[in-house]
Amino acid sequence: MRAYYYDNILGDQRLPHDYIPSQPVSTEKLSALGVKFWSIPVEGNEAEIDRIAAQEGYKNRDTINVSKEGLGDLYETKIKGFFEEHMHEDEEIRYILAGSGFFDVRGPESPSDAWIRISVEAGDLLVIPEGIYHRFTLDEANNIKALRLFKVPSVIDYYNFHHANNMLQDEPKWIPYNRSSDTDINPHRVGYLKSIGVGA
């Protein structure tokens, strides 16, 4: 994992967009934003992933392949949607199994201003906190495979249980809310800002 300030130059989002010289962002700054990070070798990762999942309360997991082959006809639509500035009402947890890409999050100097680009590759486990404005893109390799971890029931569990019993309460909160005046006052956004000492 490598983090640095995004240069904001128009062009292909899949390029590094790193300033020359680079303006690196420390893990301490990321931590101040609520971003968590682990480096776990892919080979033999199960025990460490299980340990962190238990520690953080991640009860379910699945795998996503973001590529033309993995997404088929939805590829272009999904890639465009991933790069829209948005927030979620739950954490976004990704362990990279193969490939590489970029997560962009808003910087600590002003939570609504500078983009920080986080470059991830195989072995990186990244947690994006709920309420933070962020976006994702592939890099020029156009492929990433990731393990997604969740604190809530998986989609399949939710669908099966909900339709069988109509009583499951912890519905997954994966909906991307594109940035707007409404998201600025979303309780999860407001709570996030307070958690990093903004607007408290």
Side-chain angles (χ1 to χ4, degrees):
M1 187 276 291
R2 188 171 75 90
Y4 53 88
Y5 285 102
Y6 185 85
D7 65 11
N8 288 312
I9 295 175
L10 294 177
D12 190 343
Q13 67 196 44
R14 300 171 305 152
L15 295 174
H17 284 279
D18 197 0
Y19 283 102
I20 301 175
S22 181
Q23 297 182 13
V25 174
S26 68
T27 53
E28 289 78 14
K29 283 190 177 181
L30 290 178
S31 180
L33 276 178
V35 176
K36 300 176 185 178
F37 169 78
W38 291 265
S39 180
I40 306 166
V42 173
E43 185 174 353
N45 68 71
E46 291 84 0
E48 184 64 4
I49 291 293
D50 288 346
R51 184 191 70 78
I52 292 172
Q55 171 186 300
E56 300 292 325
Y58 305 145
K59 299 179 180 179
N60 294 283
R61 61 189 72 176
D62 65 12
T63 301
I64 183 171
N65 180 7
V66 182
S67 65
K68 290 182 179 180
E69 293 76 18
L71 295 176
D73 293 341
L74 295 175
Y75 176 77
E76 294 296 341
T77 300
K78 286 289 187 182
I79 291 301
K80 182 178 179 181
F82 291 154
F83 202 61
E84 290 285 341
E85 182 175 4
H86 63 277
M87 56 153 279
H88 299 292
E89 294 184 343
D90 208 342
E91 291 180 328
E92 185 169 336
I93 308 110
R94 300 290 183 268
Y95 175 61
I96 312 304
L97 296 167
S100 50
F102 300 114
F103 285 90
D104 296 340
V105 297
R106 286 297 189 183
E109 290 79 4
S110 172
S112 60
D113 192 9
W115 281 114
I116 292 174
R117 172 150 282 193
I118 304 171
S119 173
V120 294
E121 59 186 11
D124 291 340
L125 173 59
L126 187 69
V127 179
I128 305 294
E130 66 180 82
I132 193 173
Y133 287 132
H134 66 285
R135 61 191 184 187
F136 169 79
T137 184
L138 294 173
D139 59 18
E140 291 180 282
N142 290 314
N143 176 64
I144 197 168
K145 182 179 181 182
L147 182 70
R148 305 191 299 180
L149 295 100
F150 309 110
K151 288 185 175 180
V152 294
S154 68
V155 172
I156 294 175
D157 289 342
Y158 170 73
Y159 180 87
N160 290 340
F161 196 101
H162 177 77
H163 285 270
N165 303 281
N166 197 30
M167 60 185 292
L168 189 62
Q169 299 298 313
D170 290 329
E171 184 174 344
K173 299 175 182 178
W174 302 323
I175 298 171
Y177 295 97
N178 288 349
R179 186 175 180 179
S180 69
S181 57
D182 288 335
T183 59
D184 286 342
I185 60 173
N186 180 292
H188 295 269
R189 173 66 180 170
V190 174
Y192 165 70
L193 291 176
K194 288 182 178 179
S195 76
I196 62 169
V198 176

